Amino acid sequence: MNDFDLVRKNLFRKPLRTILLTVSIFMAFLIFGMLTSLNVALDAASETGTSGNRLIVSNKINFTQPLPISYLNRVATIKGVTGVTHQSWFGAYYRDQRQGFFPGFYVDPETYLALYGDQVKLTEPEKKAFMSERTGVLVGKSLADRYGWKLGQTIPISSNIYVKPDGGRTWDMKITGIFTGAKPTDSTSAIYFHYDYVNETRTFGRDTIGNIAIRTVSPDLNDSIAKTVDAMFANSSAETSTVDEKTFARAFLKQAGDLNFIVTMVVAAAFTAILMIVSTTLVSAMRERTKEIGVMKTLGFSSPRVLRMVLGEALLLSTMGAVLGLGVSALILKGLAKSPAGAQLGDLSMAPTVAVSGLLLAITLGLVTGAIPAVSALRMSIIDALNRR
Amino acid sequence: MSALIQLNNVTKNYRRGKEGIAIFDGLTMGIEEGDFVAIMGPSGSGKTTLLNLLGGTDRTDGGEIWFDGERIDGYSEGQLAAWRARSVGFIFQFYNLMPVLTAAQNVELPLMLTKLSPKKRRDNVETALKIVELSDRAKHKPKELSGGQQQRVAIARAIVSDPKLILADEPTGDLDRATANDILRTLQLLNKKLGKTIVMVTHDPEAARFATRTLHLDKGRFVEAMA
């Protein structure tokens, strides 16, 4: 028998209590694992495909509001701008809306590939085919894998925004390329197709675009170019807001609100509740064992050793709950990543940093919840402990 | 015989509210090695306080306590804990066994404070349980044992690390006469065969008869009488 055996036996002296406490801690770490991983995935997704010398021009009211396509040529004339293109959200889904949406953009093929060729990796024949085929569509590899799409196949892509003159919402598109990302971890769950094909056949919003992407000579010029663009369209019917690509991507992905703040608040609330529950229970559990602690000290166990054992119980409890909570959330994330909704979030899995922070949090939780009973065990005099009834 | 424990001019006071109560005021006594001393006296006479001072679980307000040539009253908490672990075995009225541990594990507890190998520890536990005739109950938890058996486990725990001194606080106070006599015979055996020095606090004159001498304590002073 060693100290750990004693810690373990003491922790499980009332199995139901220990199980209930473990489940409480498990729930807190499940919430932590899921929300933090989601936040990390969103952050990573907002980094994907962004570049320091690219700016995004969108409608000042909201990026969901359109801009006239005529802005494109005017922006291109600004000094320091080396390339422009545009992209628009289509609200794309495949066959059944209930299976979820995926990012679908209608773009100008030539200028888009000129600006984003580093992010949309294709073979030369695929590029040529996409540019020449009016109904051509580029599909990301993960999306193609999910739906079993093959090169050359014609697929029906529907929109939850646009309607055709015949009332239909579906555009048939021919897969002319299956792209991979710049990095293996980059999300490849989007599709890109021709602006002209959509623009000619939609019933509203003709000759408008979602936003304009600008490539600048140098990131140093970003600020001045952004100001020039916004000044150019000030007091027009569609004023603009120009920001760097990373800022835009974050804003786009976090439309629901400040996820960092929400995640922090939810996790903090969960942990505060658990801290109270576990601390109170451990204090009362330790009070039940006052006499035993007195006996251990009488036998010669030093006060610091008793303190370590009491802290050890709290640490073992929090670590068990944390490992279970993080483990189950990792499994759930794995399952979610395969779902249509999860696929849109890119690399939805538990990052090592999340697991490590979770374990550090477990150690902190154990130390904090164990502190009061441990210190009272440390200070407890043998006489008082043995005389307590 | 030489004095294993020597108390010189020991004073001990307690505070009850604003009032100070003197338990001992210049107590001097000696206990020889190999003695089996029963301490009797009315409630509040200082029996348990004396036992606590002898076992280093309470501190004096003045005077000296010597154990086997070492002055222990000035020891730090840590030094006292280490001294108790190697020199003193404790037996309590209500056994005070750990309910989550088996009899053998309870007996092994003091050995966790030693550097003995696991095998040596097992051997010592087996020997201690054999002495108290409980080898067949080694794997039983306290709640599966009778009061007398639990007290014998406590005795095994007290002797497993081979201390020179055993302190027993009302060891038969919770037992029927027959079981109490069994326990007292075991203590007598430890004293006579293994040479353990035993100091036992008791209210029971029958129990005191098993000791080699009895000290009557009253208001912090004692009178010695042969058992």
Side-chain angles (χ1 to χ4, degrees):
Chain A
M1 191 168 60
N2 55 35
D3 285 11
F4 181 74
D5 294 329
L6 257 187
V7 165
R8 188 170 46 78
K9 284 173 189 289
N10 276 324
L11 184 60
F12 283 96
R13 68 170 52 209
K14 289 194 173 169
L16 181 63
R17 177 167 67 191
T18 306
I19 288 168
L20 290 176
L21 282 177
T22 308
V23 169
S24 314
I25 297 168
F26 159 82
M27 290 304 295
F29 278 92
L30 185 70
I31 292 169
F32 170 84
M34 296 289 295
L35 291 184
T36 312
S37 296
L38 182 68
N39 204 24
V40 168
L42 284 175
D43 271 344
S46 71
E47 300 280 334
T48 301
T50 61
S51 167
N53 68 341
R54 280 200 293 252
L55 296 173
I56 301 292
V57 184
S58 56
N59 193 301
K60 192 178 178 182
I61 296 170
N62 187 287
F63 60 74
T64 57
Q65 296 298 309
L67 294 172
I69 195 165
S70 57
Y71 281 15
L72 204 65
N73 289 337
R74 293 176 66 189
V75 168
T77 61
I78 295 170
K79 195 177 174 190
V81 172
T82 59
V84 289
T85 189
H86 61 87
Q87 54 192 349
S88 308
W89 182 259
F90 188 64
Y93 63 90
Y94 178 60
R95 288 188 175 152
D96 186 356
Q97 279 197 68
R98 286 170 300 186
Q99 285 189 24
F101 298 91
F102 44 81
F105 298 93
Y106 48 98
V107 301
D108 174 57
E110 197 170 335
T111 56
Y112 193 82
L113 289 180
L115 248 73
Y116 287 97
D118 56 333
Q119 301 302 324
V120 181
K121 297 278 185 193
L122 293 162
T123 61
E124 278 307 314
E126 283 175 322
K127 278 184 191 172
K128 280 183 185 158
F130 178 53
M131 284 191 262
S132 61
E133 174 60 55
R134 200 172 69 95
T135 64
V137 59
L138 299 177
V139 301
K141 180 150 189 343
S142 69
L143 200 64
D145 291 344
R146 175 144 69 94
Y147 289 116
W149 293 336
K150 306 281 178 225
L151 199 63
Q153 184 182 343
T154 297
I155 51 173
I157 297 296
S158 303
S159 170
N160 71 336
I161 302 172
Y162 298 109
V163 185
K164 291 162 88 170
D166 62 2
R169 288 178 172 274
T170 303
W171 278 257
D172 286 333
M173 300 183 192
K174 186 180 176 186
I175 299 174
T176 51
I178 296 176
F179 66 88
T180 54
K183 295 190 295 263
T185 53
D186 282 354
S187 172
T188 52
S189 59
I191 62 171
Y192 300 97
F193 43 93
H194 288 228
Y195 167 82
D196 289 340
Y197 181 39
V198 175
N199 194 46
E200 286 163 12
T201 50
R202 61 181 167 176
T203 51
F204 64 91
R206 283 211 179 148
D207 300 329
T208 63
I209 52 178
N211 60 60
I212 298 168
I214 299 173
R215 185 175 58 211
T216 62
V217 172
S218 154
D220 296 340
L221 291 177
N222 284 0
D223 278 351
S224 67
I225 291 175
K227 280 178 190 159
T228 308
V229 172
D230 292 342
M232 184 179 273
F233 303 111
N235 301 318
S236 71
S237 58
E239 290 189 308
T240 59
S241 167
T242 306
V243 292
D244 67 83
E245 199 167 42
K246 207 172 276 184
T247 307
F248 179 80
R250 283 215 174 102
F252 183 80
L253 284 167
K254 295 185 176 179
Q255 293 170 68
D258 186 344
L259 272 183
N260 263 327
F261 180 75
I262 294 168
V263 167
T264 307
M265 285 297 110
V266 171
V267 169
F271 275 88
T272 305
I274 294 307
L275 196 81
M276 299 293 176
I277 294 167
V278 177
S279 296
T280 313
T281 313
L282 286 182
V283 166
S284 102
M286 215 47 71
R287 195 166 289 150
E288 289 165 15
R289 279 162 46 198
T290 301
K291 201 166 233 179
E292 289 176 32
I293 289 169
V295 171
M296 288 184 71
K297 286 189 171 185
T298 304
L299 295 181
F301 283 82
S302 67
S303 293
R305 189 162 173 178
V306 172
L307 174 132
R308 284 198 296 273
M309 285 189 192
V310 175
L311 271 184
E313 279 181 51
L315 280 171
L316 182 59
L317 180 70
S318 61
T319 310
M320 280 189 320
V323 168
L324 282 174
L326 294 172
V328 171
S329 59
L331 289 176
I332 293 174
L333 288 167
K334 207 172 174 184
L336 273 180
K338 290 177 186 164
S339 72
Q344 294 181 39
L345 294 169
D347 187 20
L348 189 59
S349 62
M350 185 171 290
T353 51
V354 175
V356 171
S357 338
L359 291 176
L360 289 176
L361 195 60
I363 291 169
T364 310
L365 182 75
L367 291 176
V368 173
T369 53
I372 295 172
V375 170
S376 76
L378 174 81
R379 288 182 177 166
M380 195 180 289
S381 87
I382 294 174
I383 305 293
D384 289 343
L386 293 179
N387 286 338
R388 191 174 288 183
R389 292 185 195 282
Chain B
M1 287 197 293
S2 57
L4 180 69
I5 312 164
Q6 182 65 45
L7 274 67
N8 293 332
N9 208 24
V10 166
T11 58
K12 177 69 185 171
N13 304 301
Y14 278 121
R15 291 209 73 80
R16 191 171 291 161
K18 289 180 181 173
E19 195 185 352
I21 299 167
I23 304 292
F24 299 122
D25 185 13
L27 181 73
T28 296
M29 67 175 291
I31 293 171
E32 307 298 324
E33 188 158 5
D35 238 352
F36 182 175
V37 179
I39 297 174
M40 297 189 72
S43 292
S45 59
K47 303 185 297 292
T48 299
T49 304
L50 178 60
L51 209 63
N52 290 338
L53 293 176
L54 293 176
T57 56
D58 201 357
R59 289 185 173 277
T60 62
D61 292 319
E64 300 172 351
I65 300 178
W66 292 79
F67 177 88
D68 205 15
E70 286 180 78
R71 187 173 170 183
I72 62 165
D73 57 279
Y75 277 0
S76 67
E77 287 299 323
Q79 285 173 314
L80 273 178
W83 170 77
R84 282 196 300 273
R86 66 176 183 268
S87 307
V88 192
F90 292 86
I91 302 167
F92 305 90
Q93 180 180 356
F94 297 108
Y95 334 125
N96 286 345
L97 301 175
M98 302 285 167
V100 292
L101 304 180
T102 62
Q105 288 168 332
N106 265 289
V107 175
E108 194 188 346
L109 264 184
L111 299 181
M112 289 174 66
L113 303 162
T114 67
K115 289 180 177 168
L116 294 179
S117 68
K119 185 184 178 312
K120 182 72 180 145
R121 278 204 216 174
R122 274 197 302 277
D123 291 345
N124 286 12
V125 170
E126 272 174 32
T127 306
L129 283 171
K130 198 182 259 178
I131 289 170
V132 297
E133 298 175 351
L134 271 182
S135 301
D136 56 333
R137 300 291 177 133
K139 293 205 163 118
H140 289 234
K141 292 228 171 127
K143 66 180 177 190
E144 297 159 352
L145 300 172
S146 69
Q149 287 170 330
Q150 288 190 53
Q151 194 59 300
R152 281 197 274 157
V153 173
I155 293 173
R157 181 178 68 185
I159 60 171
V160 73
S161 53
D162 196 23
K164 282 190 170 177
L165 175 65
I166 293 172
L167 300 176
D169 190 1
E170 300 273 13
T172 57
D174 197 41
L175 302 172
D176 62 63
R177 186 74 266 156
T179 312
N181 287 346
D182 274 353
I183 294 296
L184 291 161
R185 271 192 287 275
T186 305
L187 292 179
Q188 214 168 37
L189 182 88
L190 297 178
N191 175 243
K192 284 184 180 163
K193 302 276 184 192
L194 302 178
K196 298 294 173 197
T197 305
I198 300 176
V199 180
M200 172 177 73
V201 163
T202 182
H203 276 105
D204 178 10
E206 286 289 313
R209 285 202 191 100
F210 286 81
T212 52
R213 64 175 174 140
T214 302
L215 297 175
H216 291 275
L217 201 55
D218 191 14
K219 294 177 184 166
R221 296 170 182 279
F222 62 88
V223 183
E224 186 173 345
M226 288 308 293

